[in-house]
Amino acid sequence: MSKLHVTQIGGYLRSTLGGIIPMDDVAKHSDTAHVDKVFLTRALTALAISHLADVKAEDLSSSITDGTDDGGIDGIYFDPNERTLYLVQTKWHEDGNGSIELGDTLKFINGVSSVLNNELSSFNARIKARQSDIQSALYDASSKFVLVIAHTGQQALAGPVSEALQRYVDSQNDTSELMKLAVLGQGEVHKAVSAGVAGAPIALEVQLTGWGQIRDPHIAFYGQVCATDIAAWMTAHGNRLFATNLRQFLGGNTVNDDIVKTLKTKPEDFWYLNNGITAIASQVGKKPIGGNHSDSGIFECSGFNVVNGAQTVGSIHAANAVAPDQVAKAKVSVRIISTAKNPTEFGTEVTRCTNTQNAIAKRDFVALDPEQERIRQELHFDGVEYAYKSGATPGPSPARFDLTEAVLARACAFPTVEMAVQAKREISKLWEDISKAPYKVLFNPSVTGPALWSLVQKRRHIESAMQLLSMEYSGRDALICVHGNRFIEWASMQALDGCPAKTIEEVVGETIAKVVAAVKANYGDSYPASLFKNLTKCKVLAAAI
């Protein structure tokens, strides 16, 4: 079937993307077979991006970068909603055999490394035309990167190829899951073609235990689903599960990390601790097997979409990859609502309402700390507003600041770099538990309102100077300024204490130069976004400057 599958894939690509894929650089080539292979390789790139990012392949012509001086990168696409940059290498195997060679893989890795270092001068015009998308990802600390290998061969990646890719991905993920690897072989590519890429309606069977139903005004079924089954949903359908949701799976964050931790350590308690999943389906009905007994039932769903609980689904999938035995012990509350009576309006209303309920965030518990109210009152007498509660007047002003600014000021003024690194990596950890460190170190009876306001103003001044002075840097040095902002603010705070005669601008300028030099000397191959979240490496940099 290998050759037949490749023929079907090629036919689909020719019929849907013919005339859309850019071919101007090879249009006059005399070898028609060569031209056709170039087209199929580039069309495969569009297909791979479309499949992973849930975007129409017909809209991806500008994302094709294949050609001379492409650095092994055949496609670049930035998803602004998911803040994810896709970097693609593809290989077309007409006979359906093979995968990716090691030399091509190493070239791709080097090309990706240059992109992540914001060094695009050696690339072709097509990659340079993606500069805006690339920089949108590089300058956003929340962005993720997906390396995509797509080919029409049946063989899996060879050991050295797989190891080289995984080694590079792991080197970028030393503090968080910044980068992922997605490999689409012939089977996955053919499955994408069969599904029509843009998304044939998802059909699946859901086994509910302890199930119940509502018949009017809309049919709905509810019950418990084994977490292993939910992991299988995402394995089979990926982010297409969330096509009508407000968000796709966001990957690692505080909430999702907590979900994974619960699944791995207390799977039996998961049902009690998780809000569950809401899905809609254009049609849903119970199979006759099992009769009307509510102990267990299998429900056939057409047009199935998760509208609330994408983070639960994604986290279950992630946990299942590392601890399947534990995940198998967990049950999840699931309800499936039929939209058969009013597919568009009712489905949209369910999606909107299930995603707009107020949630209590961990920072809200800061309001329970009497020290915060004491600080607010002290500043009130000086005409300064401290908005430490959620929902208070937002945004800074000449006489107003909020909890985030207060935490950043205290963290950057701390004598050692630990607090500033944590503020960069995940600031919410600094107020996660108001009963102990690090929160109690930052806020305690010794912290006065006027002193805190003074620190906030100093950090604001440093931040303004840093933004202005960093404009003098370009390429990777500019990324160091962007992603190293908290480290530079911390280092500037320390330097100011020892150089009272110098202006803030002078100190910040000297600090930036020292940090850039220290990064080059010690971590020339590290992506700045992950480097400045790594405490061990930041301690080395702190000692160097």
Side-chain angles (χ1 to χ4, degrees):
M1 292 294 289
S2 176
K3 174 66 173 176
L4 176 58
H5 280 173
V6 175
T7 301
Q8 291 173 339
I9 295 168
Y12 175 85
L13 295 177
R14 292 186 184 96
S15 64
T16 57
L17 297 177
I20 295 175
I21 299 299
M23 297 290 291
D24 51 295
D25 56 328
V26 295
K28 296 181 181 180
H29 202 287
S30 59
D31 187 345
T32 56
H34 171 75
V35 173
D36 187 52
K37 185 172 182 179
V38 170
F39 165 78
L40 291 170
T41 299
R42 294 176 181 179
L44 180 59
T45 299
L47 177 68
I49 296 172
S50 174
H51 177 62
L52 293 169
D54 196 21
V55 60
K56 292 181 179 179
E58 303 94 290
D59 298 335
L60 293 169
S61 61
S62 62
S63 293
I64 306 302
T65 59
D66 174 57
T68 305
D69 297 326
D70 63 12
I73 302 173
D74 297 320
I76 297 176
Y77 173 75
F78 180 66
D79 184 339
N81 296 320
E82 301 302 323
R83 293 188 289 186
T84 300
L85 186 72
Y86 294 85
L87 299 148
V88 188
Q89 182 179 73
T90 53
K91 284 291 179 291
W92 184 267
H93 300 289
E94 188 67 35
D95 60 1
N97 294 313
S99 58
I100 303 289
E101 298 296 327
L102 180 59
D104 293 328
T105 301
L106 296 177
K107 181 181 179 182
F108 177 58
I109 291 172
N110 288 334
V112 169
S113 181
S114 293
V115 168
L116 263 59
N117 282 330
N118 201 21
E119 297 170 350
L120 307 181
S121 59
S122 63
F123 288 109
N124 63 29
R126 286 176 176 155
I127 289 183
K128 290 176 180 175
R130 310 309 300 160
Q131 183 173 22
S132 177
D133 277 359
I134 291 169
Q135 292 189 341
S136 292
L138 294 182
Y139 286 102
D140 184 350
S142 300
S143 286
K144 305 291 185 180
F145 301 85
V146 180
L147 304 191
V148 183
I149 301 294
H151 62 90
T152 56
Q154 278 193 313
Q155 283 73 29
L157 298 184
V161 171
S162 180
E163 291 167 8
L165 286 165
Q166 196 58 55
R167 188 163 51 247
Y168 180 71
V169 170
D170 290 344
S171 73
Q172 305 304 318
N173 292 340
D174 57 352
T175 57
S176 61
E177 193 175 42
L178 176 78
M179 183 178 289
K180 291 182 179 180
L181 174 65
V183 180
L184 305 179
Q186 183 188 113
E188 290 80 10
V189 172
H190 190 268
K191 186 185 298 183
V193 168
S194 300
V197 185
I202 292 175
L204 52 77
E205 294 184 348
V206 179
Q207 182 172 7
L208 293 174
T209 58
W211 64 272
Q213 63 179 310
I214 297 173
R215 306 298 300 179
D216 190 63
H218 299 276
I219 294 173
F221 297 93
Y222 56 89
Q224 298 178 44
V225 176
C226 177
T228 300
D229 292 350
I230 292 172
W233 296 354
M234 193 159 185
T235 298
H237 303 288
N239 278 328
R240 289 180 57 233
L241 279 171
F242 320 123
T244 59
N245 200 353
L246 300 183
R247 296 184 300 177
Q248 295 184 355
F249 178 52
L250 302 178
N253 59 36
T254 302
V255 173
N256 295 341
D257 290 346
D258 287 347
I259 293 174
V260 172
K261 181 179 179 181
T262 300
L263 285 164
K264 292 165 66 176
T265 59
K266 297 186 295 182
E268 297 87 351
D269 293 344
F270 189 77
W271 183 88
Y272 301 95
L273 304 176
N274 184 265
N275 289 331
I277 296 165
T278 298
I280 58 175
S282 57
Q283 297 288 337
V284 56
K286 183 182 179 298
K287 297 183 73 172
I289 187 171
N292 290 323
H293 295 291
S294 61
D295 292 345
S296 179
I298 297 176
F299 297 81
E300 293 182 305
C301 305
S302 300
F304 184 91
N305 275 286
V306 173
V307 296
N308 185 260
Q311 308 317 307
T312 294
V313 174
S315 297
I316 289 172
H317 183 261
N320 190 65
V322 295
D325 292 342
Q326 289 293 91
V327 171
K329 301 174 185 176
K331 296 288 186 180
V332 186
S333 178
V334 175
R335 59 177 181 161
I336 306 166
I337 301 170
S338 172
T339 60
K341 289 185 178 180
N342 193 341
T344 303
E345 292 184 10
F346 182 61
T348 300
E349 187 176 9
V350 172
T351 302
R352 178 180 61 81
C353 292
T354 55
N355 282 280
T356 54
Q357 299 170 7
N358 292 327
I360 299 296
K362 289 182 178 178
R363 69 155 288 170
D364 295 326
F365 290 101
V366 171
L368 300 178
D369 181 12
E371 299 298 339
Q372 295 289 341
E373 178 59 20
R374 173 187 59 78
I375 292 171
R376 188 197 68 80
Q377 291 181 9
E378 290 176 0
L379 289 169
H380 179 71
F381 290 114
D382 293 335
V384 177
E385 181 183 353
Y386 176 36
Y388 68 89
K389 291 184 179 181
S390 297
T393 305
S397 77
R400 182 196 304 126
F401 67 105
D402 61 13
L403 176 67
T404 299
E405 272 203 286
V407 170
L408 287 175
R410 289 284 294 153
C412 291
F414 198 71
T416 54
V417 76
E418 290 89 340
M419 295 289 192
V421 174
Q422 186 58 63
K424 183 65 180 179
R425 181 172 179 173
E426 192 176 349
I427 192 172
S428 62
K429 291 291 185 182
L430 294 177
W431 58 61
E432 184 174 51
D433 188 338
I434 65 171
S435 67
K436 62 181 183 180
Y439 176 82
K440 280 295 187 182
V441 176
L442 297 178
F443 296 99
N444 53 64
S446 69
V447 180
T448 68
L452 179 60
W453 175 230
S454 177
L455 283 179
V456 168
Q457 290 176 296
K458 181 184 291 188
R459 197 196 69 84
R460 284 182 180 180
H461 196 161
I462 290 172
E463 185 177 44
S464 296
M466 187 172 59
Q467 290 175 351
L468 181 64
L469 293 167
S470 64
M471 294 174 64
E472 301 174 5
Y473 294 85
S474 61
R476 187 168 186 266
D477 293 350
L479 292 181
I480 292 171
C481 295
V482 170
H483 295 296
N485 58 343
R486 301 297 175 233
F487 184 90
I488 294 170
E489 289 169 8
W490 168 81
S492 297
M493 282 270 206
Q494 312 311 310
L496 280 168
D497 290 340
C499 305
K502 292 185 177 180
T503 67
I504 286 180
E505 286 74 16
E506 288 174 330
V507 169
V508 172
E510 293 172 358
T511 301
I512 292 175
K514 290 179 181 178
V515 172
V516 168
V519 170
K520 288 181 178 179
N522 293 278
Y523 302 109
D525 295 329
S526 295
Y527 178 51
S530 58
L531 168 61
F532 288 104
K533 297 176 183 178
N534 186 306
L535 179 58
T536 300
K537 292 180 179 180
C538 284
K539 285 182 175 179
V540 172
L541 295 178
I545 64 171

